[in-house]
Amino acid sequence: MVANEAEILGSVAKNGFYDIDVDPTLDLFAEINRLKKEKNAVILAHYYQEPDIQDIADYIGDSLGLAQAAAKTDAKMIVFAGVHFMAETAKILNPDKKVLLPDLNAGCSLSDSCPPELFARFKAKYPDHIVISYINCSAGIKALSDIICTSGNASQIVNSLPQDQKIIFAPDKNLGAYINKQSGREMVLWNGACMVHEIFSLEKITRLKERHPNAKFIAHPECEEAVLALADYIGSTTQLLKYTEQSDLNEFIVATETGILHQMQKASPDKTFIPAPPDNACACNDCPHMKRNTLEKLYLCMKYEQPEIIMDETLRLAAKKPIDRMMDLSRQFGLI
Ligand code: 13P
Ligand code: SF4
């Protein structure tokens, strides 16, 4: 049966993706590669995607690397295997390209913790502050911000400002507190957090460290302060990956979403990577938003060119300014 446009759009509006069964005998890797060539598409994937998606992507990276890859690509179509704010950032940087997200419901708890209406009221209380926002936020928050940052450049961006510059940092209170501690500043923090990074169990990590005395404990700065206090190294997903590649040590306890372990293991097949245990019943550190994307949904979104990210132009232009500022600063720091 050939799908018509109304049927596809109806399904996307109802489910967040085109919900039809995919022939189980189809070689999805071959089909996706064929569609990539046919449509001049590039697949950008975050490290938290499932291994099959990482393996078929043209570029895998952290939020900074992905924003840069989106800014640089000359493909006609960008397929973003990540979450909504990432695809939205790609669209902000590429208004003339078609930007697809395999499942529109792939959101982000951190981004959701900061609604623009509430944040605008919060910001109004600090008229002499500038706003630095972590890229894990909606276009509405970006439009209310002066500079965007990622976990890969947040410290440098904050430190590039005069010490007496008053700053609101949103939406991640853990990353903000980490930078406050490092820089000796007192940035005003929005009270947001990531559902994956705030549930690591201090008690279980302490026991795990005792059982693996030679392991380095490495953590993403979205983790809570008490977890970060135990870490031998703190960094963005790319920085954590590089650290494990360059280290002479063989064992690592990793406090971030487990998707990154696929690349760590690929880069260092003889090293051991142990996911840091969370404090929940299912004992898993998967991001439920990132893991909404599947190879089937990736294939369907490329085939039917839906779901597509559509943006209001006024909002796009307002949200682009602080991203451009981040890109300029990152270039100055030699980070991109
Ligand atoms: P980075 O990719 O910048 O390390 O951020 C991790 C994350 O939580 C993305 O959602
Ligand atoms: Fe958002 Fe956390 Fe998932 Fe990243 S891991 S997308 S910050 S909920």
Side-chain angles (χ1 to χ4, degrees):
M1 192 181 79
V2 180
N4 66 47
E5 208 182 329
E7 186 187 320
I8 298 165
L9 289 174
S11 176
V12 169
K14 184 164 166 250
N15 307 299
F17 58 97
Y18 185 32
D19 190 14
I20 48 158
D21 291 336
V22 176
D23 175 357
T25 64
L26 214 56
D27 179 346
L28 289 178
F29 282 90
E31 283 301 307
I32 290 171
N33 279 324
R34 181 182 63 74
L35 289 167
K36 260 203 277 194
K37 279 199 202 107
E38 188 184 301
K39 303 197 178 207
N40 187 8
V42 66
I43 301 177
L44 308 181
H46 190 269
Y47 289 123
Y48 296 165
Q49 293 295 288
E50 62 174 48
D52 279 350
I53 294 182
Q54 293 189 35
D55 290 345
I56 203 153
D58 298 290
Y59 178 86
I60 320 163
D62 66 358
S63 304
L64 179 60
L66 287 164
Q68 195 206 6
K72 276 197 334 198
T73 185
D74 47 21
K76 264 176 71 185
M77 181 187 281
I78 299 174
V79 187
F80 217 111
V83 292
H84 192 275
F85 76 80
M86 295 179 170
E88 192 173 60
T89 302
K91 184 67 184 176
I92 291 167
L93 296 168
N94 292 284
D96 300 328
K97 294 187 199 296
K98 189 169 257 190
V99 178
L100 304 174
L101 179 67
D103 186 336
L104 276 184
N105 294 319
C108 168
S109 66
L110 186 48
S111 177
D112 291 347
S113 71
C114 194
E117 319 75 61
L118 291 187
F119 185 69
R121 271 189 260 152
F122 178 79
K123 181 183 160 176
K125 288 197 245 163
Y126 304 95
D128 53 351
H129 288 53
I130 68 159
V131 177
I132 302 184
S133 294
Y134 190 36
I135 198 164
N136 298 37
C137 65
S138 63
I141 295 296
K142 289 186 174 79
L144 292 167
S145 306
D146 297 287
I147 317 177
I148 296 301
C149 71
T150 73
S151 53
N153 60 20
S155 287
Q156 279 116 315
I157 288 186
V158 171
N159 287 329
S160 71
L161 300 171
Q163 191 70 25
D164 59 355
Q165 172 67 61
K166 293 179 178 166
I167 303 171
I168 297 174
F169 189 87
D172 189 3
K173 64 175 179 192
N174 292 319
L175 177 60
Y178 171 64
I179 300 168
N180 270 347
K181 205 169 164 195
Q182 269 198 329
S183 64
R185 289 178 194 252
E186 289 182 358
M187 298 189 295
V188 175
L189 308 180
W190 177 263
N191 186 19
C194 158
M195 63 190 288
V196 177
H197 288 87
E198 69 172 354
I199 57 160
F200 288 110
S201 160
L202 205 57
E203 203 188 314
K204 289 183 197 168
I205 291 170
T206 307
R207 268 189 268 139
L208 198 59
K209 274 166 70 74
E210 282 164 8
R211 281 210 302 279
H212 299 269
N214 296 323
K216 286 282 180 199
F217 175 54
I218 61 175
H220 195 280
E222 285 175 24
C223 295
E224 288 182 333
E225 191 177 356
V227 169
L228 294 179
L230 295 180
D232 297 299
Y233 180 75
I234 296 166
S236 77
T237 45
T238 296
Q239 291 164 345
L240 295 177
L241 174 62
K242 277 199 188 131
Y243 178 83
T244 62
E245 278 179 65
Q246 289 163 3
S247 169
D248 295 333
L249 292 159
N250 284 321
E251 215 179 358
F252 304 88
I253 300 168
V254 184
T256 191
E257 213 266 4
T258 41
I260 187 72
L261 268 62
H262 180 58
Q263 292 304 320
M264 288 178 173
Q265 203 69 74
K266 262 176 113 169
S268 310
D270 298 328
K271 296 183 182 177
T272 303
F273 300 98
I274 307 163
D279 214 358
N280 62 7
C282 81
C284 93
N285 314 328
D286 282 355
C287 169
H289 302 289
M290 287 279 182
K291 296 302 197 287
R292 273 188 173 273
N293 297 326
T294 60
L295 212 54
E296 284 80 5
K297 286 181 189 167
L298 183 65
Y299 161 71
L300 287 172
C301 100
M302 291 180 76
K303 180 169 179 184
Y304 296 105
E305 303 188 11
Q306 285 293 336
E308 183 185 359
I309 304 289
I310 305 286
M311 280 198 77
D312 169 77
E313 184 59 6
T314 311
L315 177 62
R316 187 190 74 78
L317 289 172
K320 185 169 181 289
K321 263 198 209 159
I323 299 176
D324 286 344
R325 194 132 178 237
M326 169 183 84
M327 292 303 213
D328 289 345
L329 288 168
S330 300
R331 260 186 293 277
Q332 280 174 36
F333 306 147
L335 294 171
I336 56 174

